[in-house]
Amino acid sequence: MKEIQKSGDGVAYALLCNNRKTRLESSSGGAFTVFSDIILHKGGVIAGAVFDEKMNVVHKIAKTPDERDAMRGSKYIQSDAHAVWNEILDYLENDSYVMFTGTPCQVDALKSLADIKGIRTDKLYTVDLICHGVPSPKINRELFSQLSGNGKKLVGYSYRSKKKGWHAHFEEAKYEGGIKESRRGRWLAYSNILLFEKYYTNRQCCCECPYCDTNRVSDLTIGDAWGIEKFAPEIDDNIGISLVLVNTEKGAQLMGRAEDGAKIYKFRLDDFMQPRLNKIPCPKPEKKEEFWDYYERNGYLKMLRKYAGYGMKGRLLYYTKVILRRIGVSKYLKQILRGRSQ
Ligand SMILES: Cc1cc2nc3c(=O)[nH]c(=O)nc-3n(C[C@H](O)[C@H](O)[C@H](O)COP(=O)(O)OP(=O)(O)OC[C@H]3O[C@@H](n4cnc5c(N)ncnc54)[C@H](O)[C@@H]3O)c2cc1C
Ligand code: SF4
């Protein structure tokens, strides 16, 4: 690539990893794998979020591509990074390259920690996510406890399976022995994603997040290139496209080498201004306290019926919409309703 421009110049990049399998396993276009490959080739290590043996989401260190691959895919739960802070600082003290990926607040915490301890960070590369907010691990444990898997142990979970493409919402539970069970979002995944979208389960501090801005804490920022299908449909093959913001010189160095593993297209940052880049943190729902109180008193499934429409009425409405979409009627209904409201 001729010249890498920064987000400060009003530029954003769309990135599609050349390896189709990688892109299918990643949440967006596989930007995380492309950047982490560069650091692994330099002999460095990668810190990112994985499921541990109890299916909690925690940050770990990967030294090999196989260990790194377990980090692929967004886990829509708060990841516990406490166990890796000191390990990362040890690597930096020993002059190793480290790439840390996580939420902007985690990147900020790591940089502050290194600063307090007086540890040099010239070999630290940071990649943060555009962050919608992190939901409660407790609610997620409830979801996992509902998945029976016919007695098989749950060993992985994809919140963004691409079985039906990047634009569809499918989730996939992975059990020991390679058994997989797909579930269309919302209903069959017990509606946790709907609670996430309605902001009931996000952490309180996410409603006042100071990182929802194009002025980023990290070297590179990655997210979904949502909306690209409208202004560059020719590159949207429905397998996933990453949005990349280059924030610093170090970020520009990595981006400069990314072309070996990916196709990269330059756009205006303005084309991709989603709320979490536009100074708009996730809102706090009016009934958030009531929601948690109801859940504590009545349990998970009752709470889903009340707040995520998981009851009979909600399911009927959902399946009616699915059928109307399948037989092609919903498109015409939407046009009629749009016509009426004009
Ligand atoms: C909680 C959360 C909220 C997000 N909100 C948005 C959003 O509002 N808009 C948007 O455009 N993109 C959002 N993303 C980012 C998006 O889902 C993709 O993760 C991102 O586009 C990278 O995709 P990829 O294909 O490059 O990498 P992938 O291979 O999918 O890599 C995922 C990367 O995310 C890290 N990660 C996964 N789960 C967590 C976690 N729980 N905590 C910290 N790090 C994690 C992994 O370490 C890895 O580096 C969010 C991600 C998460 C985890
Ligand atoms: S929304 Fe903000 S505070 Fe919440 S996890 Fe993301 S970066 Fe951290």
Side-chain angles (χ1 to χ4, degrees):
M1 207 185 308
K2 282 175 217 102
E3 189 204 351
I4 307 295
Q5 283 182 276
K6 299 201 186 114
S7 49
D9 303 322
V11 168
Y13 292 94
L15 182 152
L16 294 83
C17 176
N18 288 338
N19 185 315
R20 185 185 160 90
K21 182 173 173 283
T22 299
R23 208 143 58 91
L24 282 168
E25 287 172 1
S26 307
S27 291
S28 309
F32 160 68
T33 300
V34 172
F35 296 129
S36 54
D37 268 346
I38 299 168
I39 300 296
L40 286 172
H41 283 140
K42 279 167 166 282
V45 298
I46 312 300
V50 295
F51 286 110
D52 70 7
E53 49 299 332
K54 290 187 177 157
M55 289 298 287
N56 296 312
V57 177
V58 295
H59 262 64
K60 282 205 172 156
I61 300 273
K63 298 188 200 82
T64 64
D66 277 352
E67 289 170 354
R68 182 278 316 277
D69 290 354
M71 295 170 180
R72 278 192 196 133
S74 296
K75 292 106 191 150
Y76 292 112
I77 326 160
Q78 184 184 5
S79 170
D80 186 348
H82 288 94
V84 289
W85 297 139
N86 284 334
E87 216 180 327
I88 293 173
L89 297 180
D90 285 348
Y91 275 108
L92 292 174
E93 271 196 311
N94 288 323
D95 211 28
S96 288
Y97 284 101
V98 178
M99 178 175 127
F100 178 87
T101 47
T103 59
C105 54
Q106 287 173 330
V107 170
D108 206 10
L110 173 61
K111 285 168 78 172
S112 306
L113 210 57
D115 195 32
I116 291 164
K117 297 205 173 189
I119 293 170
R120 284 177 54 178
T121 53
D122 44 329
K123 290 202 170 168
L124 172 67
Y125 288 77
T126 53
V127 180
D128 70 346
L129 307 164
I130 301 173
C131 187
H132 178 90
V134 282
S136 144
K138 187 173 177 185
I139 295 283
N140 192 71
R141 279 195 293 275
E142 294 270 24
L143 162 65
F144 287 174
S145 72
Q146 300 292 327
L147 306 176
S148 69
N150 289 327
K152 298 274 182 208
K153 189 174 179 254
L154 184 69
V155 291
Y157 195 85
S158 169
Y159 297 82
R160 301 263 306 269
S161 161
K162 291 183 179 165
K163 196 178 165 178
K164 299 274 172 173
W166 178 48
H167 292 282
H169 178 207
F170 250 79
E171 302 197 13
E172 190 168 67
K174 294 163 194 168
Y175 299 98
E176 60 187 355
I179 297 163
K180 291 181 179 174
E181 192 187 4
S182 297
R183 32 196 76 233
R184 186 178 275 283
R186 307 208 167 183
W187 301 100
L188 299 176
Y190 297 97
S191 308
N192 270 14
I193 212 79
L194 191 63
L195 298 172
F196 178 47
E197 284 168 6
K198 285 185 171 178
Y199 308 107
Y200 282 124
T201 50
N202 270 357
R203 284 183 60 197
Q204 190 58 31
C205 60
C206 298
C207 306
E208 285 145 34
C209 177
Y211 304 98
C212 298
D213 202 343
T214 50
N215 187 14
R216 311 294 297 184
V217 284
S218 59
D219 300 309
L220 291 165
T221 296
I222 55 176
D224 283 286
W226 296 131
I228 199 160
E229 65 283 1
K230 294 194 191 97
F231 54 87
E234 66 285 359
I235 61 170
D236 181 15
D237 55 3
N238 203 14
I239 299 180
I241 304 178
S242 295
L243 176 67
V244 181
L245 309 191
V246 178
N247 307 315
T248 64
E249 270 315 308
K250 266 195 221 169
Q253 270 173 33
L254 276 191
M255 191 62 174
R257 295 189 54 192
E259 222 173 21
D260 295 343
K263 284 184 203 64
I264 295 170
Y265 303 85
K266 190 162 96 177
F267 290 97
R268 291 177 331 133
L269 177 57
D270 277 353
D271 293 335
F272 293 100
M273 289 301 283
Q274 43 172 299
R276 300 298 106 74
L277 288 175
N278 214 1
K279 297 192 169 75
I280 306 174
C282 63
K284 182 183 167 198
E286 245 176 61
K287 294 186 176 165
K288 190 160 178 162
E289 277 86 15
E290 184 191 295
F291 162 86
W292 280 103
D293 185 54
Y294 187 88
Y295 160 63
E296 297 295 347
R297 283 187 292 109
N298 298 284
Y300 181 62
L301 290 177
K302 274 196 172 173
M303 174 275 283
L304 285 183
R305 274 182 217 122
K306 186 166 161 72
Y307 290 91
Y310 193 62
M312 193 55 84
K313 205 170 119 195
R315 281 191 229 194
L316 260 174
L317 195 67
Y318 173 74
Y319 285 116
T320 308
K321 277 190 197 161
V322 172
I323 292 165
L324 290 179
R325 203 180 312 129
R326 288 236 174 105
I327 59 176
V329 172
S330 61
K331 206 166 66 187
Y332 299 107
L333 276 179
K334 270 188 199 155
Q335 281 169 356
I336 292 168
L337 290 173
R338 229 177 276 139
R340 273 197 191 161
S341 66
Q342 280 165 2

